[in-house]
Structures are given as C-alpha cells and as structure tokens.
Amino acid sequence: MEIRVQSVKFDADQKLLDFIEKKFSKLPRFYENIVTTEVTLSLLNDHENKNVKVNVHIPGNSVVVERSAKSFETAINDCADILKEQLTRKKEQMLEQ
C-alpha cells in the first residue's frame, strides 16, 4: 500500500510524516486490498485550524474521512480510528456477499 502525503501552503516536517506513516500503515490489517492512501494536510482560519483529509482507495470504491483539531496528530488519530471502523465494516459487507 502506498501512502501519499500532501501539505497545502506549508511544509510538513519529517516527524509529522513519520507519524502519518506509522498510523496509516496499519490500515491493511483491517482491509487487505487497499491500493493507496492519500493524506491532505491543511491549515484553516478557525479555532481548530489543523485539517486532515484521508482518502483510502480500495477496489471499486473510496473511503474518505476529514477531521479538524488543534493539532495534526489529534486529527490524524481521529481519522485513523474512524477509518479502522469503516474498513472493518466494508470487509464484513464484502464477506457477507
């Protein structure tokens, strides 16, 4: 599985990139057929100004999760938790068919 990271209007440091890699490299445990995972980091103009959008490409579909928080790490954790649940559900639906 390939993980692509795009940071909009800023440069993400290596520590943040390593954190993203660590969190999202575990997703194939929940759904084996993930093709790519695209992570977009951006800054917003409000109080919780760190935005993370994750697009997980699986055969015939896509799972998209977007969260904002005070830190990128918190938003990444939230996205990873939601993706684990959604991918587990998708896998169960696929097995039922």
Side-chain angles (χ1 to χ4, degrees), residues 10-94:
F10 76 100
D11 290 326
D13 66 350
Q14 190 59 46
K15 184 178 171 187
L16 183 58
L17 296 174
D18 292 343
F19 185 77
I20 290 168
E21 179 75 29
K22 179 182 170 193
K23 280 294 176 183
F24 295 120
S25 65
K26 297 175 185 175
L27 291 180
R29 293 180 189 170
F30 304 96
Y31 194 98
E32 297 85 18
N33 299 330
I34 296 173
V35 179
T36 58
T37 301
E38 296 176 359
V39 181
T40 305
L41 309 171
S42 58
L43 299 170
L44 304 176
N45 291 329
D46 62 359
H47 177 63
E48 295 192 340
N49 69 335
K50 310 292 192 292
N51 183 270
V52 176
K53 181 178 180 180
V54 183
N55 192 346
V56 178
H57 298 280
I58 56 178
N61 211 339
S62 238
V63 180
V64 180
V65 176
E66 187 169 1
R67 289 290 177 265
S68 296
K70 290 182 180 180
S71 73
F72 281 119
E73 290 81 3
T74 303
I76 290 165
N77 281 330
D78 291 348
C79 287
D81 292 341
I82 293 165
L83 282 168
K84 288 174 188 175
E85 292 173 18
Q86 289 185 349
L87 291 171
T88 301
R89 253 186 272 137
K90 285 238 182 257
K91 184 176 180 177
E92 288 169 357
Q93 288 172 354
M94 187 178 74

